[in-house]
mmCIF file of all heavy atoms in Angstrom:
data_model
loop_
_atom_site.group_PDB
_atom_site.id
_atom_site.type_symbol
_atom_site.label_atom_id
_atom_site.label_comp_id
_atom_site.label_asym_id
_atom_site.label_seq_id
_atom_site.Cartn_x
_atom_site.Cartn_y
_atom_site.Cartn_z
ATOM 1 N N CYS A 544 6.816 -12.072 5.271
ATOM 2 C CA CYS A 544 7.122 -11.808 6.672
ATOM 3 C C CYS A 544 7.755 -13.072 7.244
ATOM 4 O O CYS A 544 7.968 -14.047 6.525
ATOM 5 C CB CYS A 544 5.877 -11.405 7.460
ATOM 6 S SG CYS A 544 4.614 -12.682 7.634
ATOM 7 N N ASN A 545 8.051 -13.039 8.528
ATOM 8 C CA ASN A 545 8.696 -14.174 9.181
ATOM 9 C C ASN A 545 7.921 -14.456 10.463
ATOM 10 O O ASN A 545 8.394 -14.224 11.570
ATOM 11 C CB ASN A 545 10.168 -13.851 9.471
ATOM 12 C CG ASN A 545 11.002 -15.077 9.778
ATOM 13 O OD1 ASN A 545 10.480 -16.157 10.032
ATOM 14 N ND2 ASN A 545 12.315 -14.919 9.782
ATOM 15 N N ALA A 546 6.703 -14.952 10.293
ATOM 16 C CA ALA A 546 5.731 -15.013 11.379
ATOM 17 C C ALA A 546 6.174 -15.867 12.560
ATOM 18 O O ALA A 546 5.721 -15.648 13.682
ATOM 19 C CB ALA A 546 4.401 -15.549 10.839
ATOM 20 N N TYR A 547 7.053 -16.821 12.311
ATOM 21 C CA TYR A 547 7.459 -17.709 13.402
ATOM 22 C C TYR A 547 8.698 -17.201 14.129
ATOM 23 O O TYR A 547 9.047 -17.725 15.186
ATOM 24 C CB TYR A 547 7.639 -19.131 12.889
ATOM 25 C CG TYR A 547 6.283 -19.760 12.645
ATOM 26 C CD1 TYR A 547 5.666 -19.677 11.393
ATOM 27 C CD2 TYR A 547 5.584 -20.341 13.677
ATOM 28 C CE1 TYR A 547 4.398 -20.198 11.186
ATOM 29 C CE2 TYR A 547 4.313 -20.869 13.481
ATOM 30 C CZ TYR A 547 3.724 -20.794 12.233
ATOM 31 O OH TYR A 547 2.469 -21.296 12.040
ATOM 32 N N GLN A 548 9.341 -16.175 13.608
ATOM 33 C CA GLN A 548 10.412 -15.515 14.355
ATOM 34 C C GLN A 548 9.907 -14.227 14.988
ATOM 35 O O GLN A 548 10.413 -13.790 16.016
ATOM 36 C CB GLN A 548 11.619 -15.219 13.464
ATOM 37 C CG GLN A 548 12.815 -14.662 14.249
ATOM 38 C CD GLN A 548 14.047 -14.475 13.393
ATOM 39 O OE1 GLN A 548 14.167 -15.027 12.307
ATOM 40 N NE2 GLN A 548 14.998 -13.678 13.877
ATOM 41 N N ASP A 549 8.900 -13.599 14.375
ATOM 42 C CA ASP A 549 8.524 -12.265 14.847
ATOM 43 C C ASP A 549 7.377 -12.252 15.848
ATOM 44 O O ASP A 549 6.953 -11.185 16.279
ATOM 45 C CB ASP A 549 8.232 -11.334 13.663
ATOM 46 C CG ASP A 549 6.945 -11.649 12.911
ATOM 47 O OD1 ASP A 549 6.051 -12.300 13.471
ATOM 48 O OD2 ASP A 549 6.822 -11.208 11.748
ATOM 49 N N SER A 550 6.850 -13.404 16.248
ATOM 50 C CA SER A 550 5.747 -13.433 17.202
ATOM 51 C C SER A 550 6.238 -13.784 18.597
ATOM 52 O O SER A 550 7.095 -14.660 18.771
ATOM 53 C CB SER A 550 4.686 -14.445 16.764
ATOM 54 O OG SER A 550 4.025 -13.985 15.604
ATOM 55 N N ALA A 551 5.690 -13.106 19.596
ATOM 56 C CA ALA A 551 6.091 -13.319 20.982
ATOM 57 C C ALA A 551 5.664 -14.704 21.467
ATOM 58 O O ALA A 551 4.708 -15.289 20.963
ATOM 59 C CB ALA A 551 5.468 -12.240 21.863
ATOM 60 N N ASN A 552 6.392 -15.208 22.474
ATOM 61 C CA ASN A 552 6.154 -16.547 23.018
ATOM 62 C C ASN A 552 6.208 -17.582 21.895
ATOM 63 O O ASN A 552 5.361 -18.476 21.782
ATOM 64 C CB ASN A 552 4.802 -16.609 23.748
ATOM 65 C CG ASN A 552 4.697 -17.789 24.682
ATOM 66 O OD1 ASN A 552 5.631 -18.558 24.860
ATOM 67 N ND2 ASN A 552 3.527 -17.960 25.274
ATOM 68 N N ALA A 553 7.233 -17.462 21.067
ATOM 69 C CA ALA A 553 7.276 -18.167 19.785
ATOM 70 C C ALA A 553 7.300 -19.681 19.899
ATOM 71 O O ALA A 553 6.847 -20.382 18.986
ATOM 72 C CB ALA A 553 8.490 -17.688 18.985
ATOM 73 N N LYS A 554 7.810 -20.216 21.003
ATOM 74 C CA LYS A 554 7.943 -21.682 21.042
ATOM 75 C C LYS A 554 6.574 -22.365 20.959
ATOM 76 O O LYS A 554 6.462 -23.467 20.408
ATOM 77 C CB LYS A 554 8.692 -22.124 22.296
ATOM 78 C CG LYS A 554 7.941 -21.981 23.608
ATOM 79 C CD LYS A 554 8.736 -22.563 24.771
ATOM 80 C CE LYS A 554 7.909 -22.521 26.064
ATOM 81 N NZ LYS A 554 8.654 -23.067 27.212
ATOM 82 N N HIS A 555 5.523 -21.730 21.476
ATOM 83 C CA HIS A 555 4.185 -22.315 21.382
ATOM 84 C C HIS A 555 3.754 -22.444 19.928
ATOM 85 O O HIS A 555 3.167 -23.438 19.515
ATOM 86 C CB HIS A 555 3.175 -21.464 22.149
ATOM 87 C CG HIS A 555 3.057 -21.838 23.585
ATOM 88 N ND1 HIS A 555 2.262 -22.855 24.042
ATOM 89 C CD2 HIS A 555 3.677 -21.335 24.688
ATOM 90 C CE1 HIS A 555 2.372 -22.951 25.348
ATOM 91 N NE2 HIS A 555 3.229 -22.044 25.770
ATOM 92 N N TRP A 556 4.042 -21.405 19.142
ATOM 93 C CA TRP A 556 3.532 -21.364 17.768
ATOM 94 C C TRP A 556 4.367 -22.267 16.860
ATOM 95 O O TRP A 556 3.826 -22.907 15.950
ATOM 96 C CB TRP A 556 3.494 -19.924 17.265
ATOM 97 C CG TRP A 556 3.145 -18.956 18.358
ATOM 98 C CD1 TRP A 556 3.811 -17.827 18.721
ATOM 99 C CD2 TRP A 556 2.022 -19.058 19.272
ATOM 100 N NE1 TRP A 556 3.205 -17.212 19.788
ATOM 101 C CE2 TRP A 556 2.115 -17.941 20.150
ATOM 102 C CE3 TRP A 556 0.990 -19.968 19.450
ATOM 103 C CZ2 TRP A 556 1.184 -17.728 21.177
ATOM 104 C CZ3 TRP A 556 0.063 -19.762 20.474
ATOM 105 C CH2 TRP A 556 0.159 -18.657 21.316
ATOM 106 N N VAL A 557 5.679 -22.321 17.108
ATOM 107 C CA VAL A 557 6.534 -23.236 16.345
ATOM 108 C C VAL A 557 6.121 -24.678 16.614
ATOM 109 O O VAL A 557 5.985 -25.493 15.688
ATOM 110 C CB VAL A 557 8.019 -23.008 16.708
ATOM 111 C CG1 VAL A 557 8.889 -24.112 16.108
ATOM 112 C CG2 VAL A 557 8.488 -21.641 16.220
ATOM 113 N N LYS A 558 5.885 -24.990 17.875
ATOM 114 C CA LYS A 558 5.476 -26.349 18.233
ATOM 115 C C LYS A 558 4.151 -26.709 17.587
ATOM 116 O O LYS A 558 3.979 -27.809 17.040
ATOM 117 C CB LYS A 558 5.380 -26.472 19.753
ATOM 118 C CG LYS A 558 5.080 -27.881 20.244
ATOM 119 C CD LYS A 558 5.081 -27.946 21.776
ATOM 120 C CE LYS A 558 4.813 -29.359 22.259
ATOM 121 N NZ LYS A 558 4.811 -29.446 23.746
ATOM 122 N N ALA A 559 3.195 -25.775 17.625
ATOM 123 C CA ALA A 559 1.882 -26.042 17.027
ATOM 124 C C ALA A 559 2.003 -26.263 15.522
ATOM 125 O O ALA A 559 1.351 -27.153 14.951
ATOM 126 C CB ALA A 559 0.933 -24.890 17.318
ATOM 127 N N ALA A 560 2.838 -25.469 14.858
ATOM 128 C CA ALA A 560 3.007 -25.611 13.408
ATOM 129 C C ALA A 560 3.597 -26.968 13.044
ATOM 130 O O ALA A 560 3.208 -27.586 12.045
ATOM 131 C CB ALA A 560 3.896 -24.489 12.878
ATOM 132 N N ARG A 561 4.501 -27.438 13.857
ATOM 133 C CA ARG A 561 5.190 -28.683 13.526
ATOM 134 C C ARG A 561 4.418 -29.928 13.970
ATOM 135 O O ARG A 561 4.557 -30.992 13.385
ATOM 136 C CB ARG A 561 6.586 -28.701 14.173
ATOM 137 C CG ARG A 561 7.555 -27.681 13.618
ATOM 138 C CD ARG A 561 7.762 -27.787 12.111
ATOM 139 N NE ARG A 561 8.087 -29.149 11.709
ATOM 140 C CZ ARG A 561 7.494 -29.790 10.697
ATOM 141 N NH1 ARG A 561 6.546 -29.198 9.967
ATOM 142 N NH2 ARG A 561 7.847 -31.012 10.390
ATOM 143 N N GLU A 562 3.605 -29.809 15.044
ATOM 144 C CA GLU A 562 3.027 -31.015 15.637
ATOM 145 C C GLU A 562 1.532 -31.172 15.427
ATOM 146 O O GLU A 562 1.011 -32.279 15.551
ATOM 147 C CB GLU A 562 3.339 -31.045 17.141
ATOM 148 C CG GLU A 562 4.826 -31.141 17.446
ATOM 149 C CD GLU A 562 5.125 -31.203 18.936
ATOM 150 O OE1 GLU A 562 4.174 -31.285 19.740
ATOM 151 O OE2 GLU A 562 6.319 -31.174 19.290
#
Side-chain angles (χ1 to χ4, degrees):
C544 66
N545 196 346
Y547 285 91
Q548 186 175 342
D549 71 21
S550 291
N552 198 3
K554 71 175 185 180
H555 272 276
W556 325 128
V557 170
K558 185 177 181 180
R561 293 304 309 132
E562 296 181 6

